[in-house]
Amino acid sequence: YIDLYYAHRDDAQTPQDEVAAGFDALVKKSKVKSLGASNFTAERLTSAIIAAQKGGYTPYSVMQDEYNLVTRDHYEKDMLMVAEKYDLAAFPYYGLASGYLTGKYRKDSDFGEGVRGQDVKRYHDARGQAILAAMDTIAKVINAAWDQGNLKATDVDSKITALTNALDTTPAPSISSTAVTSPSVTEPAVVIPESVEVGDAISRFDSKYLELV
């Protein structure tokens, strides 16, 4: 059987009760255990769940949308409320923004390398570059603490929490080296709110939290 079967895109041409009946038949035949919806709007996902419930069919229990440090609006402004209302698990994709958040893409020439480069370029605006700078700062402090023998694996979460506080963040999901604690989000993601002035936050972080190392 398939553990989790996604509707990878919403099919606006087919009545939602028919879609629900088709997926439900697979569950009842034990071919599929759970159903997921990927790349739906909040309105369409809500109506799909309602259609399944009205028909006595198995509803979606998982949703999948792009969600990462630089792409947040769709999930936080729309999908999060649906996830909480219907108790859906969220499995974000592009958690590293197609590799942008690895720091591999810094210069214009970097985007010409590999098949993914041009796609990644959409993240490389002023905000994306500021986020990379903030992540560099966090990595510098954590690595320095590790090199000096002042950082234990069990300390990482508390130190990262202190760093996010220095950045005046209200992470959703919360920053963590091991897991996330935000309702619904099932895979790790790291977030800095849109309102954060990242450059100022780095300055405050440098002055207030270097004693961590």
Side-chain angles (χ1 to χ4, degrees):
Y1 59 82
I2 297 172
D3 285 311
L4 175 58
Y5 193 31
Y6 279 107
H8 190 62
R9 289 278 189 273
D10 182 20
D11 180 1
Q13 306 305 313
T14 304
Q16 289 187 311
D17 59 339
E18 291 184 19
V19 174
F23 278 121
D24 183 66
L26 296 174
V27 174
K28 285 186 166 57
K29 290 178 181 178
S30 298
K31 295 181 181 293
V32 173
K33 290 189 70 175
S34 300
L35 301 174
S38 181
N39 297 301
F40 279 51
T41 65
E43 293 76 16
R44 289 286 292 176
L45 180 54
T46 297
S47 60
I49 292 171
I50 291 172
Q53 291 173 338
K54 284 183 176 178
Y57 305 129
T58 305
Y60 296 121
S61 58
V62 173
M63 68 184 200
Q64 183 185 55
D65 299 279
E66 181 176 1
Y67 185 42
N68 53 56
L69 194 61
V70 290
T71 303
R72 302 175 50 196
D73 284 355
H74 175 61
Y75 179 80
E76 292 183 10
K77 292 183 178 179
D78 300 319
M79 305 308 294
L80 178 59
M81 290 184 291
V82 179
E84 292 179 340
K85 181 176 181 178
Y86 293 103
D87 195 26
L88 305 180
F91 288 93
Y93 65 85
Y94 289 170
L96 290 175
S98 298
Y100 181 72
L101 293 174
T102 65
K104 175 181 177 181
Y105 301 93
R106 304 274 186 166
K107 310 181 300 294
D108 286 343
S109 59
D110 293 336
F111 298 99
E113 299 177 5
V115 296
R116 198 176 280 235
Q118 290 306 307
D119 265 353
V120 179
K121 197 168 185 177
R122 65 191 172 100
Y123 300 109
H124 195 58
D125 55 13
R127 177 170 171 77
Q129 293 176 59
I131 288 171
L132 288 184
M135 293 175 68
D136 287 340
T137 302
I138 291 172
K140 178 180 68 175
V141 172
I142 294 294
N143 288 338
W146 186 272
D147 290 342
Q148 294 172 23
N150 294 333
L151 183 67
K152 298 178 181 178
T154 54
D155 295 334
V156 173
D157 283 352
S158 61
K159 289 186 181 295
I160 291 180
T161 298
L163 302 184
T164 59
N165 289 339
L167 290 169
D168 290 342
T169 62
T170 308
S174 55
I175 249 174
S176 171
S177 66
T178 54
V180 293
T181 57
S182 176
S184 82
V185 177
T186 312
E187 290 184 347
V190 177
V191 178
I192 296 175
E194 298 288 347
S195 60
V196 169
E197 294 294 334
V198 179
D200 291 343
I202 290 175
S203 298
R204 291 196 300 276
F205 163 74
D206 279 339
S207 62
K208 292 173 61 179
Y209 285 90
L210 282 175
E211 68 267 19
L212 285 172
V213 302

